[in-house]
Amino acid sequence: MIAIYDNSHLLHDPEYEIYDGAKINYPEVPDRIETIKNSLTQVDGVEFISPKSFDDKLVFELHSKQYVSYLKDTTKQIAPNRDLYPSNFIHDTYAPLTQGTFTAARKAVDTALRGAELVAQGDSLVYSLCRPPGHHAGGNYMGGYCYFNNAAAAANFLSKHGKVAILDIDYHHGNGTQELFYDRDDVLYVSVHADPSLNYPYSHGFEHERGRGKGLGYNQNFIVDKNCGTKPYMATFHQALSKINEFNADFLVVSLGFDGYRDDPIAGFNLSSEDYASIAKYIADVDSPTLLVQEGGYCVEALGELARVFTKNMMQHKNS
Ligand code: OKP
Ligand code: ZN
């Protein structure tokens, strides 16, 4: 399995999050991806490569020119080691900007696109170690630690080569991804996440949101309770996976969040690393070449183990 990594994610390192009027530590830290990379380096059969630079037109197919320029121009004016809370093109208060944010976020898109290209060329399993994450970013906005929608960029790239399914198993609903494909029937979006009436992103992720126009039926939201544990989670996960299998896609993109893990500091379905191993096996059984795109997961001490277990099980089952 090829894994794609680039160190420019280190340029995005906000100091704080504003929560309930107070400054708290920013959970979406550079160590998340460093830990995952270091752990995968020890796994047999994983080979690392760097992304390359893809044309900006692939970004503009999803994000407006106005939004992209705003991000580029605003970050240029930020002093080193300062956080700026933007007041335009933003969904919520959870997307601080630093001087390096644009560069890091743009490279995360290249990381996802490089993975999509390899999968389009015949690789059966690729892992894009994207950071910052992307699934909350929409056509015209950042939010929830996300700036550009990496998984959506990959899915949109792959949609030129066949039918694409996106399975989002991050704890949070991917409101940006949902929005970007809401009117389309060539990209299916299926997400399993915590109840948005009690959890971020609050605005979207309800089960009645099923797509629009010819996209109707090609968006499926599945809700599980916070801390629900293995049994209820797996029951719902299997319902979601059967939607994916029914669609019979040419390519599968997984928005891979590890924030369902039991010790996650901001989220958690009370899942164990054994649960992530079995989730990986079931996903590997989907009969489509698969791109894993990193989204959330904030228990830094566990991320190395979770990524290792997940990829080992994916690799074993994908080729058997
Ligand atoms: C990003 B991803 C917690 C408040 C909510 C925003 C969560 C963004 C999650 N202090 N913060 O989907 O993992
Ligand atoms: Zn999340």
Side-chain angles (χ1 to χ4, degrees):
M1 183 194 76
I2 289 183
I4 304 156
Y5 166 87
D6 190 277
N7 66 7
S8 33
H9 81 88
L10 299 168
L11 298 170
H12 173 65
D13 190 9
E15 187 192 342
Y16 61 90
E17 173 172 319
I18 300 170
Y19 189 63
D20 206 11
K23 287 184 179 181
I24 62 168
N25 285 340
Y26 195 69
E28 202 286 282
V29 291
D31 257 0
R32 296 177 54 247
I33 289 294
E34 293 302 288
T35 299
I36 292 175
K37 182 205 45 177
N38 292 335
S39 164
L40 294 186
T41 309
Q42 315 292 319
V43 176
D44 278 347
V46 177
E47 184 200 332
F48 274 91
I49 64 166
S50 298
K52 56 188 202 191
S53 299
F54 288 84
D55 200 295
D56 283 339
K57 78 174 199 291
L58 295 170
V59 176
F60 296 135
E61 287 174 10
L62 299 174
H63 298 286
S64 71
K65 294 224 157 141
Q66 296 90 317
Y67 169 52
V68 176
S69 309
Y70 176 79
L71 207 55
K72 194 176 195 169
D73 299 343
T74 308
T75 53
K76 253 187 219 153
Q77 294 164 28
I78 304 174
N81 303 316
R82 299 288 282 200
D83 289 12
L84 180 125
Y85 277 78
S87 46
N88 285 301
F89 301 101
I90 177 124
H91 179 264
D92 51 55
T93 60
Y94 301 115
L97 299 177
T98 66
Q99 193 181 68
T101 300
F102 176 83
T103 306
R106 182 63 185 80
K107 195 51 86 176
V109 176
D110 284 338
T111 301
L113 286 170
R114 183 75 179 103
E117 186 177 67
L118 288 169
V119 168
Q121 287 166 357
D123 279 34
S124 62
L125 179 64
V126 178
Y127 191 173
S128 290
L129 300 192
C130 296
R131 181 183 173 273
H135 71 156
H136 300 304
N140 245 321
Y141 56 87
M142 60 196 111
Y145 317 152
C146 300
Y147 304 88
F148 294 133
N149 198 315
N150 311 312
N156 185 55
F157 181 100
L158 287 166
S159 73
K160 293 163 191 171
H161 301 266
K163 274 176 20 166
V164 184
I166 304 172
L167 175 62
D168 190 330
I169 60 164
D170 188 277
Y171 175 90
H172 306 92
H173 175 249
N175 58 301
T177 313
Q178 167 169 304
E179 179 208 78
L180 289 164
F181 298 111
Y182 212 58
D183 301 292
R184 290 173 60 167
D185 63 1
D186 59 334
V187 178
L188 171 73
Y189 179 67
V190 177
S191 177
V192 183
H193 52 267
D195 187 352
S197 47
L198 301 168
N199 295 272
Y200 186 87
Y202 306 107
S203 58
H204 295 86
F206 300 96
E207 285 166 340
H208 64 80
E209 297 159 12
R210 300 190 58 245
R212 184 170 48 214
K214 72 169 161 35
L216 186 62
Y218 295 91
N219 191 91
Q220 300 268 345
N221 289 322
F222 292 90
I223 292 174
V224 282
D225 287 334
K226 184 169 190 177
N227 293 328
C228 61
T230 310
K231 266 199 170 176
Y233 184 86
M234 292 311 290
T236 306
F237 170 80
H238 282 297
Q239 289 177 34
L241 206 58
S242 72
K243 295 288 172 199
I244 297 281
N245 282 317
E246 265 169 42
F247 184 65
N248 199 17
D250 298 298
F251 305 103
L252 175 65
V253 175
V254 180
S255 264
L256 179 56
F258 292 123
D259 40 6
Y261 183 63
R262 60 177 174 222
D263 294 329
D264 194 276
I266 71 160
F269 291 130
N270 204 17
L271 299 178
S272 63
S273 55
E274 292 75 31
D275 292 327
Y276 278 99
S278 71
I279 291 167
K281 284 180 206 165
Y282 289 118
I283 294 176
D285 283 341
V286 176
D287 194 19
S288 320
T290 299
L291 174 66
L292 308 174
V293 177
Q294 190 64 49
E295 300 283 358
Y298 305 97
C299 180
V300 177
E301 308 74 57
L303 286 178
E305 155 87 356
L306 291 169
R308 187 179 60 77
V309 161
F310 199 93
T311 51
K312 268 193 158 180
N313 281 277
M314 281 288 305
M315 286 192 296
Q316 265 166 25
H317 290 259
K318 203 70 202 160
N319 304 311
S320 64

